[in-house]
Amino acid sequence: MDVIRTAIGLMSGTSMDGIDVALIRTDGRGFIERGPFLGVPYEADFRERLKRALELSRPLTDRRERPAELREIELELTEWHALAVTAFRQRFGLSADAVDVLGFHGQTVLHRPDEGLTIQIGDGPQLARRTGLPVVYDMRANDMVHGGQGAPLVPAYHAALAGKLQQAGEAVCFVNIGGISNLTYIGADGRIAAFDSGPGNALIDQWVEMQTGRTYDPGGEIGGRGKVIPALAARYLESPFFRGNVRRSLDRGDFAPLRPEEASLEDGARTLAHVAAASIVKSAGFLPESPSTYIVCGGGRLNATLMAEFSAMAEGLGSRVLSAEAAGFDGDALEAEAWAYLAVRSLEGLPLTFPSTTGVASPVTGGVLATP
């Protein structure tokens, strides 16, 4: 009989705006019972520290390297996660023995799949000591050791959820629009294909922050007042990333931000929303077949301008677009839930990644267990 565990997943994504905390009960296979969710925003000063971590990581060639300042930021990040777990347990009345494991993503500060290098800062043993709970962390590294791209890891969870949604003969595609967007295709026969699809919120966030000091375009309101600048959109959409049959995972820095003089605030935000939507559609052309339904999660689903662009493009190709909520999920929680699910799979020695998701030679498990 499969063991059902209670797991908390912790996700700090490429937008670097805070920590998503979610609880599920699962056997790491087909049984999933979704629990509460909490978003814990970073303070502005610490968000700037995380941006500094990206700069400090650029010259690194070993994922274990931690120059002094980067190590300080890593410990700060770990403390933020410990406080987030404490706040979550207090908010939802969880006793010390109610949780079996934490799934800890950490913060990606460097991702160079072509060099077999990925660095996520976050001290798993320290988090275990601070929370008194077992922690599974460093879940990407083993995939890369075995020839994979180290991303995306969420498809294993999407595939487990998809069976409840699919009708006979239908293919479903989950679209996670974070800083970088990624796709998980689940065919009617259960076949999985997954890869990063292009820039998501990161370019929009960078543009709005550069122009206004705000960290994002709330609801896509700024972009909704602008118009697409075709030449700027083409510069992104003609990237070599969208050509060729080999999909690769992306780093936040793979697509350069717009320069301040290239557009008005509104036109820049609208153009980048268009790019985010068109990137999904262009990359979906590499899927085994056109999905019947796209299910959109991540922060990008809240950008009405981006969603309108994507819906129009997808419907023109015969597909419908649903937000995660319309499909019965919590679009803010899904990625953190996935990290909880992957932690349980790691404990069970089950694969986290597959040849059709990361390009790894054969299905492999991953993660490192730290105990209090």
Side-chain angles (χ1 to χ4, degrees), residues 216-304:
Y216 68 104
D217 178 4
E221 295 170 6
I222 297 171
R225 299 195 298 269
K227 63 181 185 298
V228 175
I229 302 175
L232 291 181
R235 192 172 78 203
Y236 289 104
L237 297 172
E238 291 171 2
S239 164
F241 173 77
F242 298 109
R243 299 194 294 271
N245 290 322
V246 178
R247 301 291 83 208
R248 70 177 185 86
S249 61
L250 290 166
D251 181 70
R252 179 185 170 96
D254 281 333
F255 290 88
L258 288 178
R259 296 186 298 275
E261 70 277 7
E262 291 188 290
S264 69
L265 168 63
E266 293 81 2
D267 290 354
R270 176 60 184 276
T271 299
L272 294 172
H274 173 83
V275 167
S279 295
I280 297 167
V281 175
K282 284 178 76 73
S283 290
F286 293 95
L287 295 173
E289 64 178 304
S290 183
S292 300
T293 303
Y294 288 99
I295 299 166
V296 185
C297 51
R301 80 192 190 287
L302 304 177
N303 184 316

Side-chain angles (χ1 to χ4, degrees), residues 7-12 19-20 42 73-82 84-85 101-108 120-128 131 133-140 153 335-336 338-344 367-368 370:
I8 290 175
L10 301 163
M11 184 67 202
S12 180
I19 303 165
D20 293 335
Y42 291 135
I73 297 170
E74 179 173 55
L75 291 175
E76 289 176 46
L77 177 82
T78 305
E79 181 62 19
W80 270 95
H81 279 75
V85 171
V101 66
L102 302 179
F104 181 29
H105 176 268
Q107 180 70 52
T108 298
Q120 287 75 44
I121 58 170
D123 189 320
Q126 177 67 10
L127 184 62
T131 61
L133 293 168
V135 174
V136 175
Y137 68 104
D138 200 16
M139 292 193 225
R140 298 187 188 275
L153 265 67
E335 201 164 10
W339 239 253
Y341 182 77
L342 292 169
V344 173
V368 178

Side-chain angles (χ1 to χ4, degrees), residues 184-199:
T184 302
Y185 162 95
I186 305 97
D189 59 357
R191 178 181 176 184
I192 304 173
F195 43 79
D196 285 353
S197 59

Side-chain angles (χ1 to χ4, degrees), residues 301-320:
R301 80 192 190 287
L302 304 177
N303 184 316
T305 302
L306 194 167
M307 286 292 284
E309 291 260 9
F310 176 41
S311 295
M313 294 177 194
E315 288 167 9
L317 296 171
S319 302
R320 65 173 178 161

Side-chain angles (χ1 to χ4, degrees), residues 356-370:
S356 61
T357 62
T358 66
V360 70
S362 60
V364 293
T365 190
V368 178
L369 176 64

